[in-house]
Amino acid sequence: MFCPVCKGEFREGFTHCDNCNVDLVEDLDHIPDNIEGEFMLCPNCQKEYHNGEKTCSECGLKLFRAVLNKDDEYVFLEEPRFEQGNTEVNFNNLWRHYCQIDPSKAAVVLESMDGEMLKQVMDLLDKNEIDFMFVEPNEAASTLGSIFGMNSPLERQFPRIVVNKEDEEKALSLVANSSELGLFEVPDELIGDDDDEDDDEDDDEDEE
């Protein structure tokens, strides 16, 4: 038996996870309906829905089953995806510079499964008045798949954000230099300590 929240495995005879306060399930790949305390959650804005909604009223994205764990953190009961759940809801409702871009004239700015990062990039482009479009994963193969050929085990499909080719350089520069995104920040553990470097130099001089 398994806990659908913490994914812990329990010995035979256990039926409830006291840490997460939910009933155990037999198979994590086929979690049954009506897990105690579950609701529908938007993978982007983290808004909860409790009345059978399928689409986020703010983002227009498909909702996914979720619960709160003992630390009041969201845990999805199914893999969340950043995709529109209602074709009648258009991203034009969220951003002034969201528009349709001809694929032959489009340049990819970001390709990712990280819904929050995708939203941040679209916010950034909109703020800087750059036209852009969100492309759902079933509309385009990923860069990895294109490089290694169709049917490659590395072929994947990810959501992507594209801009017009003439805006590509400016858009990429904005994304790369955004302090909020921090895409190219060097982790602290990889940054050498100046004092350590000085000590190394002193040791070298002593050896000489």
Side-chain angles (χ1 to χ4, degrees), residues 146-184:
S146 299
I147 292 175
F148 291 95
M150 298 302 294
N151 300 319
S152 163
L154 290 179
E155 181 184 353
R156 294 291 186 272
Q157 291 186 332
F158 298 107
R160 57 173 59 182
I161 300 170
V162 302
V163 299
N164 289 302
K165 287 182 179 178
E166 58 263 30
D167 294 324
E168 179 182 12
E169 184 176 349
K170 180 180 178 181
L172 289 174
S173 177
L174 284 170
V175 171
N177 293 295
S178 169
S179 59
E180 294 182 1
L181 291 171
L183 292 177
F184 299 101

Side-chain angles (χ1 to χ4, degrees), residues 18-19 37 59 85 90 98-100 108 112 122 130 132 139-140 150 153 160 169 177 182-183 194 198-199 205 208:
D18 292 331
N19 288 331
C59 301
N90 195 300
Y98 183 90
C99 64
Q100 296 297 314
V108 178
S112 173
M122 289 191 280
I130 296 177
F132 64 92
E139 295 181 18
M150 298 302 294
R160 57 173 59 182
E169 184 176 349
N177 293 295
L183 292 177
D194 292 339
D198 292 339
D199 292 341
E205 291 176 359
E208 293 176 359

Side-chain angles (χ1 to χ4, degrees), residues 14-58:
F14 286 89
T15 60
H16 191 81
C17 177
D18 292 331
N19 288 331
C20 302
N21 195 31
V22 296
D23 291 333
L24 304 181
V25 297
E26 295 183 0
D27 184 358
L28 289 177
D29 292 328
H30 301 89
I31 297 176
D33 294 337
N34 302 320
I35 293 297
E36 183 177 355
E38 81 166 71
F39 45 82
M40 300 301 288
L41 182 69
C42 175
N44 178 43
C45 67
Q46 303 282 284
K47 183 176 180 179
E48 297 180 18
Y49 292 85
H50 298 267
N51 298 310
E53 296 91 344
K54 300 296 184 183
T55 302
C56 179
S57 59
E58 296 185 6

Side-chain angles (χ1 to χ4, degrees), residues 92 95-101 105-107 109 122 124-134 161-168 170-171:
N92 280 313
W95 295 283
R96 290 186 300 117
H97 293 275
Y98 183 90
C99 64
Q100 296 297 314
I101 295 178
K105 300 178 181 178
V109 173
M122 289 191 280
L124 181 65
L125 296 174
D126 195 56
K127 179 180 178 181
N128 287 272
E129 301 183 345
I130 296 177
D131 292 338
F132 64 92
M133 182 175 74
F134 173 79
I161 300 170
V162 302
V163 299
N164 289 302
K165 287 182 179 178
E166 58 263 30
D167 294 324
E168 179 182 12
K170 180 180 178 181

Side-chain angles (χ1 to χ4, degrees), residues 74-93:
Y74 290 122
V75 178
F76 283 98
L77 298 176
E78 53 187 336
E79 183 180 355
R81 298 182 300 280
F82 192 78
E83 62 183 49
Q84 283 185 270
N86 186 343
T87 56
E88 295 179 358
V89 178
N90 195 300
F91 283 135
N92 280 313
N93 297 331

